[in-house]
Amino acid sequence: MQSAAFQEHIASYYAASRNASPHYPALAEHIEVETCVIGGGLAGIGTALPLAEAGHSVALIEAARIGYGASGRNGGQVIHGWAADMDKIAAALGIPAAKELWQMSLEALDLVDERVRRFNIDCDWQRGYATVAVRPRHMEALRQWHRDAADTYGYHGYSVWSAAQLQEQLASERYVGALYDEDSGHLHPLNYTLGLAQAAHAAGVAVYEHTPLVSLGHHQGGYLITTPHGQIKARNVVATVNVFLEDLHQPLLQPLAAKILPVGTYIIATEPLGARAESLIRNNMAVCDTRFVLDYYRLSGDQRLLFGGRISYTGRDLTATDIQRSMRREMLRVFPQLSDVAVDFAWGGHVDISMSRAPHFGRLEPNLYFMQGFSGHGVAATGIGGLVTAEAILGDDRRLRLFEQLRHADFPGGRHLRLPSQWAGTLYYRLRDMMP
Ligand SMILES: Cc1cc2nc3c(=O)[nH]c(=O)nc-3n(C[C@H](O)[C@H](O)[C@H](O)COP(=O)(O)OP(=O)(O)OC[C@H]3O[C@@H](n4cnc5c(N)ncnc54)[C@H](O)[C@@H]3O)c2cc1C
């Protein structure tokens, strides 16, 4: 786990290239609002923004800086769909509900596009995304999904690419083909998060940084949120603290902790590659492979290769040197031609994996909302999760109820007991990925 030092953004390429943005004050008084959002990542901001735009009074508290958590450190891949397979969602909810959830995942992409334009957020937003197959059987699964996406979900944004077609765009011989998606894409996640927070602030959200939740309790039919130097009275609370939840020790939120497992994942950024960058990924798409422990990569706005992957269940922080060494090795498996290239940045964070990989959104009490379990698909999905939560707070919970129908099992045991079984599971899938 990240130590909950909760100060500045961690050292990363994103922090080094972030846009100028306001430093929001710490809460130092007692205030009253209709809704208090806890957590200044994309899920929290994605809820606060539409609420404020509807004229609702909202305070958002962030323990560190806006975008300190996963939202400011991720791979920047903006993907539709959910981390769980659609056939599992359809088996759980039926085809009509699954179709509606699929449509919402497309709406999530449109929300990114619309907000980047409307708020003029400088975050290198770019469409184009390929899921690349390492094994022939992975390619067969991509072909099958291409057919199902069209036949069942009416989605026609995919094209199947042969290995040769893929190599016209991607200078790697590692893959047997790809499923290209023209709608998904990538962006600079910290600049996107900071830009959205500025938009939320301009719409009227009272944003507080360096303001950790210390305790959450019932109070006069609503909630009392206590922070180190101030309190907030609110009718509704939205908890979006992601993998930090387990460290909060808040009885009202504790039932959520067993539903997610924090899984470490790591990214390196090379030095700027200049004209060489274009020869690596000619159409500037984002790329992700099909293995269980997958590689995900893309070019940055200043022509670096940002290469992510690996996972860790140990909860220990890896040093930047360890991350750099292991991720560089993985990058050279894909792009051996980069052996002379320096790595300028290495960092990591934790993804909130739910047992089924489906999103876990809903309510613990009628006015106590939460979002978690994005399972590595949160950049786009936080936008729609925030919107449906805001809709529910404003009186229309139809779309939130759809998510609430997804049942979520607990990871058995506490964090420590659940680690060995995850290790065993990962080892099994790693071995499977080695088979043709
Ligand atoms: C390395 C990495 C790569 C990833 N790559 C991708 C990708 O390419 N594409 C994709 O879609 N998803 C990706 N993800 C997942 C994605 O980043 C997340 O799903 C998404 O950012 C979750 O947003 P969030 O707002 O729920 O959580 P966060 O952004 O983690 O926000 C939670 C916030 O709560 C704050 N907080 C914690 N405790 C308190 C407290 N006591 N009081 C107040 N605030 C508190 C934290 O400081 C933090 O800012 C990746 C994640 C990681 C870590």
Side-chain angles (χ1 to χ4, degrees):
M1 275 297 295
Q2 304 91 322
S3 69
F6 288 139
Q7 289 170 7
E8 291 305 308
H9 297 115
I10 59 156
S12 72
Y13 162 69
Y14 298 132
S17 56
R18 76 185 154 216
N19 296 332
S21 76
H23 208 131
Y24 301 97
L27 179 69
E29 58 187 331
H30 292 357
I31 61 170
E32 187 164 351
V33 289
E34 286 169 283
T35 296
C36 176
V37 176
I38 304 166
L42 284 169
I45 301 162
T47 311
L49 173 64
L51 282 175
E53 286 180 324
H56 193 90
S57 73
V58 190
L60 179 147
I61 58 169
E62 161 56 49
R65 301 294 310 277
I66 292 294
Y68 170 83
S71 299
R73 334 174 163 194
N74 61 63
Q77 310 225 348
V78 184
I79 322 161
H80 59 54
W82 305 97
D85 290 342
M86 286 308 299
D87 56 358
K88 286 197 189 132
I89 293 179
L93 302 186
I95 293 283
K99 281 186 178 171
E100 200 171 340
L101 285 175
W102 169 259
Q103 280 308 322
M104 281 196 244
S105 84
L106 294 177
E107 188 182 334
L109 288 186
D110 291 342
L111 266 181
V112 171
D113 190 65
E114 185 264 331
R115 287 173 171 168
V116 167
R117 286 168 203 279
R118 182 155 59 102
F119 303 123
N120 205 13
I121 303 176
D122 179 7
C123 62
D124 307 321
W125 163 230
Q126 156 84 39
R127 299 257 194 190
Y129 177 86
T131 308
V132 292
V134 179
R135 306 274 173 219
R137 78 186 148 78
H138 296 168
M139 197 58 220
E140 195 35 57
L142 291 180
R143 281 199 193 89
Q144 181 62 47
W145 169 234
H146 176 240
R147 288 190 288 272
D148 290 351
D151 297 348
T152 308
Y153 297 100
Y155 183 66
H156 300 284
Y158 287 131
S159 333
V160 171
W161 285 355
S162 65
Q165 281 171 304
L166 177 62
Q167 280 180 28
E168 284 171 20
Q169 303 299 338
L170 183 71
S172 174
E173 294 178 1
R174 189 159 160 77
Y175 308 110
V176 299
L179 185 65
Y180 178 72
D181 176 34
E182 64 188 20
D183 291 318
S184 298
H186 58 101
L187 48 63
H188 185 306
L190 181 55
N191 282 339
Y192 177 59
T193 307
L194 293 172
L196 269 192
Q198 266 181 274
H201 187 240
V205 177
V207 179
Y208 300 100
E209 291 182 313
H210 300 300
T211 302
L213 170 78
V214 173
S215 74
L216 171 66
H218 292 120
H219 180 73
Q220 296 175 347
Y223 296 94
L224 187 65
I225 297 95
T226 302
T227 73
H229 305 291
Q231 286 185 316
I232 302 175
K233 273 203 254 175
R235 185 153 45 86
N236 311 294
V237 166
V238 186
T240 62
V241 295
N242 196 4
V243 295
F244 302 94
L245 183 76
E246 206 161 87
D247 300 326
L248 282 182
H249 306 297
Q250 291 303 310
L252 284 181
L253 300 177
Q254 218 45 41
L256 298 176
K259 307 282 187 197
I260 59 164
L261 183 70
V263 175
T265 167
Y266 307 97
I267 304 179
I268 52 174
T270 66
E271 63 184 322
L273 300 175
R276 256 174 112 178
E278 212 179 303
S279 69
L280 283 186
I281 307 179
R282 290 175 199 105
N283 62 353
N284 197 13
M285 62 189 174
V287 182
C288 180
D289 77 30
T290 43
R291 292 171 309 154
F292 183 73
V293 179
L294 48 80
D295 293 336
Y296 50 93
Y297 51 90
R298 66 190 186 88
L299 297 173
S300 64
D302 61 354
Q303 311 288 53
R304 299 166 190 271
L305 181 67
L306 267 53
F307 195 98
R310 264 200 72 169
I311 55 173
S312 155
Y313 293 114
T314 65
R316 279 197 306 275
D317 281 334
L318 296 184
T319 65
T321 313
D322 289 340
I323 297 171
Q324 179 163 332
R325 194 179 305 119
S326 63
M327 290 311 302
R328 189 167 195 282
R329 207 166 40 230
E330 192 58 35
M331 176 183 81
L332 293 180
R333 280 195 193 114
V334 177
F335 297 116
Q337 64 272 44
L338 295 186
S339 60
D340 60 327
V341 161
V343 169
D344 282 352
F345 300 93
W347 69 96
H350 289 79
V351 175
D352 50 328
I353 302 281
S354 68
M355 184 82 101
S356 64
R357 309 300 192 255
H360 186 208
F361 308 160
R363 288 166 276 210
L364 289 162
E365 297 177 353
N367 296 326
L368 178 52
Y369 298 79
F370 66 86
M371 259 173 282
Q372 61 173 12
F374 291 101
S375 304
H377 261 54
V379 175
T382 43
I384 192 71
L387 184 61
V388 301
T389 303
E391 287 168 1
I393 291 171
L394 295 170
D396 175 5
D397 69 353
R398 202 192 66 79
R399 299 210 290 177
L400 183 62
R401 276 192 279 116
L402 215 52
F403 287 97
E404 287 177 322
Q405 286 170 31
L406 290 165
R407 298 267 67 97
H408 287 272
D410 286 357
F411 283 94
R415 180 182 294 163
H416 300 293
L417 276 179
R418 53 198 201 234
L419 296 179
S421 60
Q422 287 299 314
W423 269 108
T426 307
L427 184 63
Y428 167 76
Y429 285 109
R430 272 185 197 273
L431 289 171
R432 260 183 47 148
D433 281 342
M434 287 175 197
M435 294 172 195

